[in-house]
């Protein structure tokens, strides 16, 4: 069938090139994702250009698998259904290109050329002359062909062949680009899924119930920037029993994102939990956390707010310390909001830190809010002219939004603040945002 052509790899039992059945080649063809897909402008344009430049009546972009030649583009042939855009591989000249392992195949007179004169398609497909160049995968596998067909015999000029070779490389490049983009998107999706899973593992699946207290929390990761995808953030929170009738709550923010930030986040959260049972004051516990971070020699620093508290006959009695973190907000039952806590040194940088314990009381209807700076530094996405007029959502705006929730429980308060922030930045969070609300019910 090959007219004495010496095919690389020999022949199959049916007389066709053995290379057609090569598993690596077939995998490369399948990986293009183009088999059994409809026409697309990029390939149609290149095939149309080939037909016009060479003056041939027909031009094809084909993918060749083990048994057929699939026409991704078929200029000059009426074939609208995908089932019509193919023919058995033995009825296609494309197998010559596969068997020649990447060399072009040029025929000036198909009926007279000893390589093709007995080919079953010369008459039925009215092939006078045929010229084709291979479509190649990055690792050298022949995916198919870029070819033109003339009804009458002709001599293909040097310019014709040079143009076909260039256009064939263009088609190959288009296929490679699509595969690279698809692989990049898949890798990004996998990375994003892993980041989300890891982030979920750094937060408690549910807040521990505290008798006589209403609690709620939320975490919103920063929106992806450009093509960077989702990264693990450094914000975390936790609510847990310490010892006796005392509970602890922490909210922290590790600088940066990624694996290093996640390592510090995990270490900080579990260090706080492990040391909290030793009846340490918040300031002493955060000092211990600072020493643990320095011992780990992490390049990341951390800000945190940590409070211990216990319920009383009149509500809740607590103590809080801040380590480079924004002050907590205390919302009274009547809607008045006060900042709580004294500024302290951030953790993980200096051996000596200055941290101060501040006592506070919550009465029925009062609420304590811990938050990360994503809640007080929210800004619209750059270039979003519809949102830029909103400017920065700062401490004053957060205080105002919290004051408006004085009749709401912890869950509704966190939901309201999240909605207010989303309305301000238009759904694009410039930074991770963590919220933790503790409320004494009005009927406590």
């Amino acid at each position: 069938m090959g007219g004495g052509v010496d095919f690389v790899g020999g022949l199959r039992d049916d007389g066709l090139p053995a290379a057609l059945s090569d598993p690596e080649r077939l995998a490369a063809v399948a990986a293009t994702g183009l088999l059994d897909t409809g026409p697309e402008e990029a390939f149609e344009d290149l095939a149309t250009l080939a037909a016009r430049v060479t003056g041939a009546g027909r031009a094809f972009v084909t993918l060749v698998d083990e048994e057929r030649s699939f026409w991704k583009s078929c200029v000059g042939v009426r074939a609208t259904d995908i089932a019509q855009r193919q023919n058995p591989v033995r009825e296609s000249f494309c197998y010559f290109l596969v068997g020649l392992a990447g060399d072009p195949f040029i025929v000036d007179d198909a009926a007279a050329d000893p390589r093709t004169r007995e080919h079953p398609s010369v008459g039925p497909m009215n092939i006078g002359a045929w010229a084709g160049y291979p479509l190649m995968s990055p690792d050298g596998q022949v995916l198919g062909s870029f070819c033109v067909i003339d009804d009458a015999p002709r001599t293909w000029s040097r310019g014709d062949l040079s143009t076909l070779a260039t256009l064939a490389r263009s088609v190959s490049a288009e296929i490679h680009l699509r595969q690279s983009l698809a692989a990049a998107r898949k890798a990004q999706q996998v990375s994003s899924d892993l980041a989300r899973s890891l982030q979920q593992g750094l937060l408690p699946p549910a807040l521990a119930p505290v008798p006589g207290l209403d609690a709620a929390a939320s975490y919103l990761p920063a929106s992806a920037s450009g093509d960077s995808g989702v990264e693990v953030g450094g914000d975390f929170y936790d609510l847990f029993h310490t010892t006796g009738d005392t509970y602890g709550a922490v909210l922290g923010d590790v600088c940066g994102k990624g694996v290093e930030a996640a390592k510090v986040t995990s270490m900080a959260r579990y260090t706080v939990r492990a040391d909290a049972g030793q009846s340490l004051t918040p300031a002493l516990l955060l000092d211990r956390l600072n020493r643990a971070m320095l011992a780990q020699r992490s390049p990341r620093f951390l800000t945190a707010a940590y409070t211990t508290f216990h319920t009383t006959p009149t509500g809740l009695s607590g103590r809080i310390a801040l380590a480079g973190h924004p002050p907590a907000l205390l919302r009274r039952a009547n809607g008045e909001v006060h900042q709580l806590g004294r500024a302290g040194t951030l953790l993980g940088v200096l051996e000596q830190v200055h941290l101060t314990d501040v006592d506070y009381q919550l009465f029925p209807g009062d609420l304590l809010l811990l938050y990360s700076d994503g809640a007080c530094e929210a800004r619209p996405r750059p270039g979003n002219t519809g949102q830029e007029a909103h400017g920065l959502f700062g401490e004053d705006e957060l205080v105002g939004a919290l004051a408006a929730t004085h009749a709401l429980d912890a869950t509704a308060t966190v939901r309201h603040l999240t909605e207010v922030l989303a309305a301000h930045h238009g759904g694009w969070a410039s930074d991770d945002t963590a919220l933790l609300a503790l409320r004494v019910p009005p009927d406590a």
Side-chain angles (χ1 to χ4, degrees):
M1 182 173 289
V5 178
D6 188 14
F7 292 125
V8 177
L11 301 175
R12 302 191 309 197
D13 291 341
D14 60 2
L16 295 176
L20 285 168
S21 301
D22 179 71
E24 292 186 9
R25 193 195 73 83
L26 292 174
V29 173
T32 66
L34 297 177
L35 288 172
D36 298 312
T37 61
E40 297 181 55
E41 185 176 6
F43 300 113
E44 294 293 302
D45 287 348
L46 291 169
T48 300
L49 181 60
R52 182 180 302 124
V53 170
T54 62
R58 289 166 282 173
F60 296 78
V61 174
T62 69
L63 284 304
V64 181
D65 63 15
E66 192 171 20
E67 300 295 340
R68 60 176 176 154
S69 176
F70 174 74
W71 310 337
K72 179 61 180 174
S73 178
C74 52
V75 173
V77 176
R78 291 185 179 181
T80 55
D81 295 336
I82 288 179
Q84 297 175 312
R85 300 171 69 87
Q86 55 189 296
N87 63 343
V89 70
R90 66 174 47 253
E91 297 177 11
S92 168
F93 279 20
C94 295
Y95 69 73
F96 285 99
L97 293 171
V98 176
L100 293 172
D103 288 341
F105 187 68
I106 312 299
V107 179
D108 292 338
D109 188 340
D113 193 306
R115 300 171 299 173
T116 59
R117 62 190 176 195
E118 296 182 3
H119 194 282
S121 294
V122 172
M125 290 188 65
N126 194 28
I127 301 175
W130 196 96
Y133 283 78
L135 303 179
M136 306 296 294
S137 72
D139 59 352
Q141 299 293 339
V142 181
L143 305 173
S145 74
F146 183 79
C147 66
V148 289
I149 301 176
D150 205 316
D151 293 349
R154 60 176 287 179
T155 299
W156 301 103
S157 70
R158 182 174 298 178
D160 291 335
L161 300 181
S162 177
T163 297
L164 287 176
T166 299
L167 294 178
R169 289 194 296 271
S170 298
V171 173
S172 296
E174 175 70 18
I175 295 173
H176 302 169
L177 177 60
R178 289 168 179 236
Q179 289 181 281
S180 297
L181 289 174
R185 292 190 186 101
K186 183 177 180 180
Q188 180 176 319
Q189 185 60 52
V190 170
S191 177
S192 296
D193 291 344
L194 288 173
R196 290 189 183 96
S197 297
L198 180 55
Q199 188 75 64
Q200 291 171 358
L202 297 175
L203 299 172
L207 294 178
V210 179
L213 191 68
D214 173 24
S218 74
Y219 170 78
L220 175 68
S223 300
S225 177
D227 296 325
S228 61
V230 177
E231 290 187 282
V232 184
D235 287 14
F236 68 96
Y237 59 81
D238 204 357
L239 174 63
F240 50 90
H241 176 255
T242 61
T243 183
D245 62 350
T246 303
Y247 289 81
V250 63
L251 192 145
D253 184 358
V254 177
C255 78
K257 297 183 183 299
V259 175
E260 280 299 323
K263 288 164 59 177
V264 176
T265 298
S266 179
M267 184 275 291
R269 181 184 166 204
Y270 290 106
T271 297
V272 169
R273 271 193 171 239
D275 290 351
Q278 301 182 32
S279 300
L280 300 172
T281 71
L284 289 175
L285 185 141
L286 292 178
D287 182 77
R288 278 200 180 188
L289 177 56
N290 181 64
R291 281 181 275 152
M293 292 181 65
L294 292 175
Q296 204 176 55
R297 299 183 182 277
S298 171
R300 307 287 183 175
F301 63 81
L302 162 70
T303 72
Y306 176 61
T307 179
T308 58
F309 57 88
H310 63 275
T311 56
T312 69
T314 59
L316 179 151
S317 178
R319 181 174 289 173
I320 189 170
L322 307 176
H325 204 77
L329 296 178
L330 198 162
R331 185 201 72 192
R332 295 300 183 188
N334 63 2
E336 292 181 4
V337 177
H338 308 282
Q339 290 187 337
L340 180 64
R342 188 171 298 174
T345 313
L346 55 82
L347 308 179
V349 178
L350 303 174
E351 291 188 8
Q352 296 294 325
V353 293
H354 300 283
L355 305 167
T356 305
D357 291 315
V358 174
D359 295 331
Y360 64 91
Q361 299 284 330
L362 294 186
F363 302 102
D366 291 350
L367 177 143
L368 179 70
L369 178 71
L370 306 181
Y371 57 95
S372 63
D373 55 12
C376 59
E377 295 180 0
R379 65 195 72 218
R381 184 172 191 165
N384 187 342
T385 56
Q387 295 287 332
E388 283 183 344
H390 292 184
L392 180 70
F393 189 92
E395 291 279 2
D396 292 342
E397 286 74 19
L398 181 60
V399 167
L402 182 60
T405 66
H406 67 276
L408 302 181
D409 63 14
T411 299
T413 296
V414 168
R415 183 186 303 117
H416 176 77
L417 294 178
T418 301
E419 292 172 350
V420 170
L421 288 166
H424 182 85
H425 57 54
W428 183 84
S430 59
D431 197 1
D432 302 327
T433 305
L435 302 172
L436 176 59
L438 310 174
R439 175 176 177 261
V440 179
D443 55 355

